[in-house]
């Protein structure tokens, strides 16, 4: 099975590594967008257009599944991807771990990019899984860039 991973930067590498470990038979197709990176501060239409364009390329090259290992891209464009490609191609996104945090903690915080923190998608996750408990939403400008550049000090602040 050919699986496309689409992200603006290196965030997809850890997901690709785990997929390779868990299912070594998969044919992974990695699509990065260094010219458009990072997607976090870009407009929703920019992110959606980049994802749809990459997904079109992936499906033209035989992808049977698309993985978006980026919270920001998922909360911004997963609905558009699913509308265009499912059920023919499976679309899998990555979102903040609200469900698992809510299952194991009374109080928790969600640290994410500014776009993810402000998204209706994250609000829905919190409403669906946190059962009315307060959840601290922490917007982290520059987090994705710090991670992509391996800047541990910047990612820690």
């Amino acid at each position: 099975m050919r699986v496309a991973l689409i992200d603006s930067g290196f965030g997809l590498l850890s997901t690709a590594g785990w997929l390779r470990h868990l299912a070594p038979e998969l044919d992974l197709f990695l699509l990065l967008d260094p010219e458009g990176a990072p997607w976090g501060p870009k407009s929703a239409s920019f992110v959606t257009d980049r994802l749809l364009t990459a997904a079109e390329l992936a499906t033209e090259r035989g992808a049977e599944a698309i993985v978006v290992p980026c919270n920001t891209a998922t909360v911004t464009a997963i609905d558009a991807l699913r509308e265009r490609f499912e059920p023919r191609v499976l679309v899998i996104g990555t979102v903040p771990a609200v469900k698992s945090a809510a299952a194991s903690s009374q109080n928790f915080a969600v640290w994410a990019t500014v776009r993810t923190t402000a998204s209706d998608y994250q609000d829905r996750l919190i409403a669906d899984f946190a059962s009315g408990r307060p959840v601290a939403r922490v917007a982290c400008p520059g987090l994705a860039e710090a991670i992509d550049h391996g800047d541990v000090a910047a990612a820690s602040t």
Side-chain angles (χ1 to χ4, degrees):
M1 175 180 211
R2 184 159 234 207
V3 177
L5 288 86
I6 306 171
D7 197 353
S8 65
F10 297 118
L12 62 74
L13 294 178
S14 60
T15 302
W18 273 108
L19 283 173
R20 176 66 61 227
H21 173 74
L22 296 170
E25 72 281 1
L26 293 177
D27 177 16
L28 301 181
F29 182 36
L30 308 183
L31 293 108
L32 284 84
D33 182 18
E35 290 180 9
W39 286 341
K42 304 292 194 302
S43 71
S45 62
F46 180 91
V47 174
T48 301
D49 289 346
R50 298 298 256 221
L51 273 169
L52 290 172
T53 299
E56 286 290 345
L57 174 66
T59 57
E60 288 170 9
R61 295 190 179 179
E64 299 168 76
I66 297 168
V67 176
V68 182
C70 170
N71 291 341
T72 299
T74 298
V75 303
T76 303
I78 196 79
D79 294 334
L81 281 171
R82 287 180 172 151
E83 183 177 313
R84 178 160 314 164
F85 295 101
E86 287 188 338
R88 180 175 52 94
V89 175
L90 178 64
V91 177
I92 303 161
T94 303
V95 296
V98 171
K99 183 178 181 180
S100 57
S104 63
S105 303
Q106 284 299 313
N107 299 308
F108 62 94
V110 179
W111 291 51
T113 63
V114 174
R115 176 179 302 287
T116 300
T117 302
S119 72
D120 291 339
Y121 200 109
Q122 181 173 292
D123 287 344
R124 287 193 310 266
L125 288 172
I126 291 169
D128 289 348
F129 299 108
S131 303
R133 289 176 281 158
V135 176
R137 295 164 172 90
V138 182
C140 303
L143 178 62
E145 296 90 334
I147 292 169
D148 276 352
H149 292 104
D151 188 343
V152 175
S156 300
T157 57

